[in-house]
Amino acid sequence: MIKRLLIANRGEIAVRVIRTCRELGIETVAVYSTADKENLHVRMADKAVCVGPPASAKSYLVRENLIMAALRSDCQAIHPGVGFLSENADFARAVKKEGLIFIGPDAEVIDLLGDKVRARETASRFGLPITPGTDGPVSDPAAAAKDAERLGYPVIIKAASGGGGKGMRIVRNAADLAENISIASREAEANFADGTVFMEKYLETTRHVELQILADGNGNVAVLGERDCSVQKRHQKLIEESPSPGVDDSMRARMSEGAVRMFRELKYRGAGTIEFLVADGNFYFMEVNARVQVEHPVSEYVTGVDIIRQQILACTEGRMEIDPAAIRLDGWAVECRINALTPGRITELQVPGGPGVRFDSFLYQGYHVPPHYDSMVAKLIVHAPSRPLALARMNRALSELRVEGIKTNRLQQLWIVNHPKFRSGEFGTSYYAEIEKEVESVR
Amino acid sequence: MDDKTLISLVEKFGASDLAELTLEDGATRLVLRKETAIRAIAAAAAVGAQETPGAAGAQGAAGTLVTLSALGVSGAQGAQSALGAPGAPVHLGLPARIETSNDPASLAASAGEMVTSPIVATFYASPTPDAPAYAPVGKRVKSGETLCILEAMKMMNHLEAEFDCEIISVKAKNGDLVEYGQSIFEVKRT
């Protein structure tokens, strides 16, 4: 077992990693920007190193500072958390070069999966259906028009290196195609320093479903069920649940089969997610996220597995404590992301409790939420035997939660959880846009 | 986005208690930021950032940070990008960060300013173990002179004085890990 690990992240995910490390007997080193001096992860870690000023580009994203902090505080490994450098192959390479363990897959695997065109080709090779689309990048307007005609409108232009909705354009008719390819390409270039775009058929009512994968790097690949993340505000997930109301045993088995083959072949190590679009009883490969995800606790609830623990063991020792064949899904779990709508000082915090309730956060009374980072300040997760019971529990837990001093989206989440369409389970990724006006007027 | 929408947005934003608003609809990117938000960023590291180190020291403000930008220096970012650049020279001048002392005792004694580390690195007082220190206590250094070496990722970075000053005390020992913002030298302007 390694003795000490540096967490190259902040806030909630850093706290989450510290908790598992403590149970594993691993000491933790936190890093922080000057705006995060009072952050809970700094208070909880065994040691903390200041790595820069508030702007993440000058602190949490400065590889040299993070690696120096790890080396000089005698860490053996770096956990990148989510976001920041978690899917940065160059960082993974630099960490390894300094003789440290990167808690994640090999840099080459991150590179391959990070390029969406190559990832699609790879998935297709392992028998996973991909959305009908172009085989490679598109640039020539005439050729693109032919492809779009073959696929049928609407089509979607996507950035090969993209994410978070950037470099993504939906095109509904031929007249708008050339212009949108050029805009998407420029947007992709500006955001990801890679202007490569490709085209897919755009599916109108789809669910966003993802499988949670854990792999030991030696060919053992476990699937911890799926998550449904269809409630999204402009590609930002708001509510996640496991299992998905739109996936049955047969579809789950078919998804898992291709995913396991792909991850085994890649010699994938650690935690990862494979995302699918689900529409009309079919599923299509979208992309792989080569890291742990924000919404991992819903999978932890239904499987009883500590994903961070297995991720660390897989990456540091090439082993896991779970038997892939023995994973069972038990009950229903739902997560609501609690986002800060304003920065400010927490004057009162009342955390929900009772059976089947988990609250992952870095908030504490008196803490000042800085304006510099991601707006998510907490995750409220519940577990119950069935979906109706889980939603009743979430309704209860959201009602118990009190965060004073800043504005949060608690009431908006409460509204969605009680909305008939959400309750019915029959919704897709366009659901939030349909209810946006009502939700955002909730006070 | 038409003018009417824009004006209405600005007005609503002005009346709200939001500090910052970023709006992107694919074609337009609009960022509205209140002065309070910018101040919050500047003040995040230290309570009550002020313009002049002297005034701050006199009032004994806790942890007043004079940012590099306030001093008109390019700052740590330049140093970091240079560090990351392939083929960057091994000897690299890092602009030092300057912080007024927040230690009441030293304030009373000297009202010195702190030179702080712009990176996470290993501190070396001299170029080699047996060489004399660049900036021992009592030495007067000129602006641009090397104060110490900060080794990061096998790169020997020279930390340079931002102004003429006298070394009052050295806060780090040979081989110490220094964090971003950590005080290395206490100095007095000359």
Side-chain angles (χ1 to χ4, degrees):
Chain A
M1 185 76 67
I2 58 165
K3 283 203 170 63
R4 195 175 295 162
L5 171 145
L6 179 131
I7 301 151
N9 216 299
R10 65 180 294 279
E12 187 276 321
I13 192 66
V15 168
R16 172 70 191 85
V17 174
I18 292 170
R19 285 184 168 139
T20 282
C21 284
R22 199 142 285 170
E23 291 179 13
L24 278 165
I26 299 172
E27 291 174 1
T28 51
V29 176
V31 294
Y32 63 99
S33 77
T34 50
D36 271 339
K37 209 172 172 166
E38 299 299 323
N39 199 301
L40 187 61
H41 78 283
V42 176
R43 292 186 167 197
M44 282 177 66
D46 296 296
K47 183 184 160 66
V49 178
C50 181
V51 290
S56 38
K58 296 182 185 179
S59 50
Y60 297 107
L61 293 172
V62 181
R63 300 172 212 163
E64 295 81 6
N65 284 353
L66 299 167
I67 294 173
M68 272 308 284
L71 289 172
R72 289 305 320 269
S73 50
D74 296 324
C75 290
Q76 284 107 36
I78 295 185
H79 196 302
V82 307
F84 292 141
L85 294 169
S86 60
E87 287 179 283
N88 187 309
D90 290 339
F91 180 60
R93 227 170 260 127
V95 169
K96 193 176 170 189
K97 190 166 159 252
E98 294 300 326
L100 299 164
I101 299 166
F102 178 77
I103 306 293
D106 283 336
E108 295 66 39
V109 174
I110 300 176
D111 263 337
L112 169 75
L113 297 171
D115 178 336
K116 295 193 180 181
V117 173
R118 280 169 71 202
R120 265 166 68 89
E121 286 164 9
T122 310
S124 177
R125 216 170 58 236
F126 293 109
L128 286 167
I130 54 175
T131 348
T134 51
D135 292 329
V138 294
S139 53
D140 173 45
K146 268 192 196 144
D147 284 325
E149 218 51 61
R150 171 176 60 83
L151 296 168
Y153 286 95
V155 293
I156 182 165
I157 318 287
K158 289 182 176 176
S161 315
K166 296 191 180 84
M168 212 183 258
R169 317 283 297 184
I170 297 162
V171 184
R172 300 194 178 273
N173 55 65
D176 299 336
L177 185 68
E179 185 190 332
N180 276 287
I181 289 176
S182 137
I183 294 174
S185 174
R186 268 182 283 140
E187 215 170 274
E189 176 69 43
N191 281 291
F192 314 110
D194 173 11
T196 310
V197 294
F198 63 104
M199 183 163 58
E200 284 178 1
K201 168 134 189 79
Y202 181 67
L203 302 163
E204 296 274 5
T205 44
T206 54
R207 307 190 79 106
H208 174 121
V209 173
E210 55 190 31
L211 293 181
Q212 174 65 55
I213 309 285
L214 273 172
D216 65 4
N218 297 314
N220 290 310
V221 179
V223 179
L224 279 69
E226 80 280 3
R227 292 184 289 258
D228 193 302
C229 314
S230 300
V231 183
Q232 297 181 3
K233 177 184 179 177
R234 284 183 277 280
H235 305 283
Q236 301 290 319
K237 296 167 186 172
L238 285 171
I239 300 178
E240 299 97 343
E241 55 188 308
S242 182
S244 163
V247 173
D248 58 19
D249 291 345
S250 138
M251 187 189 287
R252 184 178 304 122
R254 282 181 288 137
M255 279 177 174
S256 301
E257 196 191 339
V260 167
R261 278 178 41 186
M262 179 170 167
F263 278 70
R264 184 173 291 150
E265 204 64 32
L266 290 173
K267 295 220 166 28
Y268 194 91
R269 193 172 56 234
T273 297
I274 178 164
E275 296 185 344
F276 298 97
L277 285 179
V278 171
D280 309 322
N282 296 310
F283 64 91
Y284 305 96
F285 169 83
M286 218 176 359
E287 63 179 67
V288 172
N289 291 312
R291 54 175 168 84
V292 74
Q293 282 193 279
V294 168
E295 58 271 24
H296 74 275
V298 293
S299 303
E300 295 190 318
Y301 250 152
V302 294
T303 58
V305 173
D306 179 337
I307 292 171
I308 306 285
R309 181 183 174 102
Q310 302 312 320
Q311 179 196 28
I312 292 173
L313 288 174
C315 296
T316 58
E317 302 189 359
R319 69 179 177 104
M320 300 192 293
E321 298 161 321
I322 51 171
D323 172 6
I327 301 284
R328 295 285 174 271
L329 305 187
D330 171 35
W332 210 282
V334 182
E335 169 180 284
C336 281
R337 298 191 185 199
I338 306 300
N339 295 333
L341 305 179
T342 56
R345 192 168 297 283
I346 306 296
T347 53
E348 191 185 336
L349 178 66
Q350 186 177 303
V351 174
V357 175
R358 170 172 167 183
F359 188 71
D360 279 22
S361 174
F362 59 101
L363 295 183
Y364 58 86
Q365 201 162 318
Y367 174 68
H368 191 277
V369 178
H372 314 285
Y373 308 104
D374 191 88
S375 62
M376 195 187 78
V377 290
K379 306 186 298 203
L380 179 54
I381 314 112
V382 300
H383 185 221
S386 67
R387 190 167 191 269
L389 292 173
L391 295 185
R393 183 157 279 170
M394 181 57 88
N395 178 57
R396 185 266 290 174
L398 278 170
S399 309
E400 275 178 37
L401 173 65
R402 278 191 67 183
V403 184
E404 302 293 337
I406 58 167
K407 283 190 184 164
T408 72
N409 64 340
R410 183 188 73 96
L411 289 175
Q412 284 74 26
Q413 294 286 44
L414 196 56
W415 194 92
I416 299 172
V417 164
N418 288 293
H419 188 251
K421 188 160 180 180
F422 181 73
R423 294 238 151 198
S424 75
E426 307 274 326
F427 56 88
T429 47
S430 58
Y431 168 61
Y432 189 84
E434 293 161 22
I435 57 162
E436 182 163 8
K437 273 212 173 99
E438 299 165 68
V439 176
E440 307 217 335
S441 60
V442 174
R443 288 285 176 276
Chain B
M1 193 180 299
D2 61 44
D3 289 358
K4 221 172 116 191
T5 318
L6 188 65
I7 291 164
S8 142
L9 257 175
V10 171
E11 278 173 2
K12 289 209 170 98
F13 174 74
S16 76
D17 45 11
L18 290 177
E20 185 172 339
L21 175 77
T22 307
L23 185 76
E24 263 184 285
D25 63 4
T28 317
R29 180 177 151 84
L30 175 72
V31 181
L32 298 174
R33 201 175 285 138
K34 283 186 194 148
E35 210 186 326
T36 50
I38 298 163
R39 270 210 304 276
I41 291 168
V47 184
Q50 292 172 28
E51 291 299 317
T52 55
Q59 289 166 22
T64 300
L65 186 75
V66 181
T67 61
L68 285 165
S69 54
L71 292 170
V73 178
S74 67
Q77 187 186 21
Q80 282 150 4
S81 53
L83 263 180
V90 175
H91 284 255
L92 181 74
L94 286 179
R97 287 174 51 88
I98 313 297
E99 194 171 343
T100 52
S101 172
N102 56 4
D103 174 2
S106 71
L107 263 182
S110 61
E113 290 175 49
M114 289 296 173
V115 175
T116 64
S117 176
I119 55 172
V120 179
T122 305
F123 169 86
Y124 293 108
S126 56
T128 58
D130 11 310
Y134 285 109
V137 173
K139 182 168 179 188
R140 289 179 174 236
V141 292
K142 293 269 175 234
S143 171
E145 248 184 85
T146 298
L147 295 171
C148 66
I149 299 235
L150 295 176
E151 187 257 305
M153 310 294 290
K154 301 180 184 74
M155 296 271 289
M156 302 300 167
N157 306 289
H158 289 226
L159 185 72
E160 295 169 356
E162 279 301 310
F163 46 78
D164 298 354
C165 58
E166 182 186 336
I167 308 295
I168 296 171
S169 64
V170 184
K171 302 285 181 191
K173 287 198 299 292
N174 249 340
D176 273 0
L177 164 69
V178 290
E179 307 175 57
Y180 170 85
Q182 185 175 327
S183 300
I184 304 179
F185 294 98
E186 185 182 4
V187 299
K188 197 165 78 187
R189 285 178 193 253
T190 52

